[in-house]
Amino acid sequence: MTEPAMTPLPPGETFVLRAGALEVTVAPEAGGRLAQVRHAGRDWLIGPDAGYPGAISWGAYPMVPWAGRIRNGRFPFAGDTWQLPPSLGAHAIHGVGFVRRWSVVAHGAQRVVLALELGEGADWPFGGRVEQRIEVMPDRLRLDMQLVAGERAMPLPVLGWHPWFVKAERFDFAPRAYYPRDAEGIATLPLAPPPGPKDDCYLCDAPVALTREGHRLVLRSNGDHWVYYDETPHATCFEPQSGPPDAFNLRDAVLAPGASVSAWFEWEFSAV
């Protein structure tokens, strides 16, 4: 059986936001993701035609209402044990937003607002609504996401983004700690000093910078959790998140009915 996260996901209908030297292709039908980010004629993302068509493997997509793996798709909440369907191996990965079609609420030449009703199905039984705002400015891209709970409480969601960057010539990344992974590849506690990064979740307060072909991209977010993934020869991922992978098992936190959580992610382009 093909794992949902690895099932090919075509971009569907797309549109382009433009400001100055920046062009951002948005794919609402393919998980509300950025299909490509081009600045000064240079593509920064692994696009849908690069040979990695799985839903998990291209563009820059929102992770909601969780990021990373939930161990075996299972977690305790409100006195019960809940089961999410596996989407990568035995685990449930990266939420549900990246494999669903988002609605276009509003759009113009330089901004778009997308929305997703989470519903109360097997893959997420708690409902809620997500909005994502994508805005381009000359040399800057801003992503904002907000989840508003419905009539039910839910485990405190983790919001984040998963960009697949074309391999950079160098990067600057200065984490202060990380979550060690166990034999199943799941984040654990307690936190430890950072090792040589490969595919782990780190605590990092400083901006992340990538340099390629004489151009620099600086990444900032209000989330202090960053997953750094560098196990493929063609791409590097720096993924800002509002909490850790397996958050529903690592922390006991609740989002009350009608309450909201939000996150933002900013990209700034310049010449070196």
Side-chain angles (χ1 to χ4, degrees), residues 65 191 258 261:
L191 296 171
V261 290

Side-chain angles (χ1 to χ4, degrees), residues 3-243:
E3 294 175 327
M6 302 306 294
T7 300
L9 182 67
E13 184 177 358
T14 64
F15 55 88
V16 179
L17 306 177
R18 294 183 175 89
L22 181 59
E23 298 181 358
V24 175
T25 303
V26 182
E29 297 177 12
R33 74 184 66 202
L34 310 182
Q36 189 54 263
V37 175
R38 174 175 294 180
H39 183 261
R42 182 171 289 95
D43 290 342
W44 282 87
L45 295 176
I46 301 300
D49 299 323
Y52 306 92
I56 201 173
S57 301
W58 62 274
Y61 50 80
M63 298 183 290
V64 61
W66 72 89
R69 294 168 176 84
I70 300 297
R71 186 188 300 274
N72 298 314
R74 189 177 301 117
F75 59 92
F77 179 70
D80 290 318
T81 298
W82 300 81
Q83 178 69 59
L84 302 173
S87 53
L88 190 67
H91 312 298
I93 193 168
H94 294 340
V96 301
F98 78 109
V99 292
R100 290 198 193 174
R101 179 175 183 168
W102 292 58
S103 300
V104 178
V105 175
H107 73 88
Q110 298 180 346
R111 64 189 59 84
V112 63
V113 178
L114 306 178
L116 177 66
E117 298 291 342
L118 292 174
E120 298 185 4
D123 58 352
W124 181 249
F126 303 103
R129 186 177 192 270
V130 187
E131 279 200 356
Q132 185 184 187
R133 180 186 175 95
I134 303 165
E135 183 173 7
V136 298
M137 294 149 275
D139 303 322
R140 191 155 56 97
L141 165 64
R142 170 89 179 198
L143 308 175
D144 290 272
M145 183 160 44
Q146 182 182 57
L147 186 155
V148 180
E151 298 180 354
R152 302 181 62 179
M154 64 180 68
L156 183 65
V158 172
L159 310 184
W161 288 269
H162 194 308
W164 285 88
F165 292 112
V166 175
K167 189 73 74 176
E169 295 159 7
R170 59 164 288 181
F171 62 84
D172 299 294
F173 180 51
R176 53 186 168 85
Y178 91 117
Y179 291 80
R181 287 183 297 144
D182 61 15
E184 290 187 283
I186 307 294
T188 63
L189 290 171
L191 296 171
K198 282 293 182 183
D199 183 16
D200 293 290
C201 183
Y202 299 81
L203 293 183
C204 183
D205 304 309
V208 179
L210 291 79
T211 303
R212 185 172 139 247
E213 299 173 352
H215 288 257
R216 183 175 174 88
L217 171 57
V218 177
L219 307 172
R220 299 180 178 89
S221 176
N222 64 334
D224 64 351
H225 289 69
W226 290 78
V227 168
Y228 168 49
Y229 174 75
D230 197 28
E231 292 186 347
T232 59
H234 69 282
T236 299
C237 303
F238 285 102
E239 310 158 37
Q241 304 176 180
S242 63

